Amino acid sequence: MIHPEIFENINKVVDHLNNQGWSLSRTYIRNAQYTVMDYGNDNMVYNPQPHASPLFRGQNEFYEPCIASFYRNRTDEYTQFIYRLKIEEFGIVTSKHPAIKETIETGIFYDYIAVAQHYEFKTEMLDLTNSLPVAAFFAVTRQDSGKYVPMCESSKPGVLYFIQPTAQFSLISNDNQPEIHPVGWQVFKRPGEQRAFLINLTKNRDFNNMANVHAFRFIQDKSISEQIYHSFHKGEDLFPKDIFAEKAARIKDSTIFSKAAFDKAFENSEIS
């Protein structure tokens, strides 16, 4: 549901939600606790606490429709196949790392597609978080030459999405509810710091039309943007350096792929 009002700034959105009885905190908690939950098929995942809290998504601009990057710009099936190739190559390369192997052997589910999403591969997913401050960061910043900078004034409103707890943890997609699941704390630090969840929007589904999803548009405010931006040390808290960032960047830019990646991508594609 898209709220009809455009709020004065993002703080007014939070005030509105708190007035509805949600008691949302604006404070980012470092080193959050995680609990292990059953992902199914004897796989486990680290779930960021608090459990069954609302989920959020922040964007510096409101889009209609709001779809996964995999489907944007009316991509054809061959372009989508290349997207799948890169994701599968990422999964094959990273799963060979000793730390990932150890994680898998202990029964923790390594969701390489979800992790690839956090390294900005084109996937059928959208990022969510159970941390309001994290969502607010992405709602009031923009990328400039690979770095995040605070938004100033804009003619287009930003948006803070609020997802009610009743929509969470559907591990199997159906017509009414797409899959939503935690990415969990991985060897890759980025998803953990961002308290990452994902919603799987296959078949070009529009996030704006999902049940229990509420979009609150707001006017960008330079001073608020700068305050949130600096509270995360210019984004460094959410994008810690790790050994896979450079590797992910190379795979995204590559035009050479392994046969194993090709076979797996072809298996999951709609190319006949």
Side-chain angles (χ1 to χ4, degrees):
M1 182 187 77
I2 302 170
H3 196 280
E5 179 181 354
I6 298 180
F7 289 81
E8 182 181 344
N9 55 58
I10 194 170
N11 285 347
K12 296 296 184 180
V13 174
V14 179
D15 289 342
H16 171 80
L17 289 169
N18 282 333
N19 288 336
Q20 303 301 309
W22 286 103
S23 300
L24 303 175
S25 172
R26 291 180 170 87
T27 303
Y28 176 68
I29 301 174
R30 294 188 61 83
N31 302 315
Q33 293 184 337
Y34 287 75
T35 58
V36 177
M37 67 172 286
D38 186 358
Y39 193 82
N41 298 321
D42 296 322
N43 289 313
M44 310 299 289
V45 64
Y46 289 111
N47 177 46
Q49 295 297 293
H51 180 68
S53 65
L55 297 180
F56 307 91
R57 174 177 172 82
Q59 298 174 185
N60 61 27
E61 186 175 329
F62 176 74
Y63 295 98
E64 197 168 18
C66 181
I67 58 178
S69 59
F70 191 85
Y71 297 105
R72 293 172 194 165
N73 301 318
R74 298 182 180 181
T75 51
D76 58 36
E77 61 182 5
Y78 296 101
T79 301
Q80 292 174 359
F81 180 70
I82 297 298
Y83 292 164
R84 294 188 194 279
L85 260 178
K86 295 183 178 185
I87 293 168
E88 297 302 337
E89 191 70 35
F90 176 80
I92 291 169
V93 170
T94 56
S95 63
K96 294 177 181 178
H97 191 277
I100 297 295
K101 284 185 176 180
E102 182 180 353
T103 297
I104 296 172
E105 289 170 359
T106 59
I108 299 298
F109 179 56
Y110 173 45
D111 190 345
Y112 66 91
I113 300 177
V115 175
Q117 165 73 14
H118 273 265
Y119 286 92
E120 300 177 356
F121 284 75
K122 306 291 187 183
T123 77
E124 297 175 275
M125 300 178 176
L126 283 184
D127 296 313
L128 306 175
T129 177
N130 71 347
S131 170
L132 170 61
V134 170
F137 175 87
F138 290 106
V140 301
T141 61
R142 62 180 177 84
Q143 280 192 301
D144 183 8
S145 301
K147 294 184 178 180
Y148 281 86
V149 296
M151 291 287 293
C152 298
E153 295 180 359
S154 174
S155 60
K156 299 179 180 179
V159 60
L160 180 68
Y161 286 97
F162 176 85
I163 302 93
Q164 294 177 239
T166 52
Q168 289 188 42
F169 304 133
S170 175
L171 299 181
I172 300 175
S173 295
N174 57 54
D175 290 341
N176 296 319
Q177 176 63 60
E179 174 188 353
I180 297 177
H181 64 268
V183 180
W185 190 269
Q186 303 274 347
V187 172
F188 309 82
K189 295 181 179 180
R190 186 179 298 186
E193 297 295 351
Q194 296 180 15
R195 313 293 187 266
F197 287 71
L198 289 170
I199 183 168
N200 198 0
L201 294 181
T202 57
K203 302 179 181 178
N204 207 22
R205 299 178 76 166
D206 184 359
F207 185 57
N208 292 330
N209 294 331
M210 297 292 99
N212 301 306
V213 172
H214 303 269
F216 296 94
R217 295 165 296 168
F218 64 90
I219 299 171
Q220 297 286 358
D221 182 289
K222 181 180 179 181
S223 62
I224 295 175
S225 298
E226 290 178 343
Q227 179 185 2
I228 294 173
Y229 175 70
H230 288 292
S231 72
F232 286 97
H233 300 95
K234 301 181 180 181
E236 292 181 5
D237 291 349
L238 301 180
F239 295 91
K241 294 180 180 179
D242 61 60
I243 58 176
F244 294 104
E246 184 178 343
K247 191 179 297 292
R250 288 201 303 268
I251 293 172
K252 281 190 296 182
D253 293 338
S254 179
T255 57
I256 301 175
F257 309 99
S258 65
K259 184 178 183 302
F262 180 92
D263 290 343
K264 197 164 185 181
F266 188 80
E267 180 183 345
N268 294 324
S269 74
E270 298 180 359
I271 296 177
S272 57

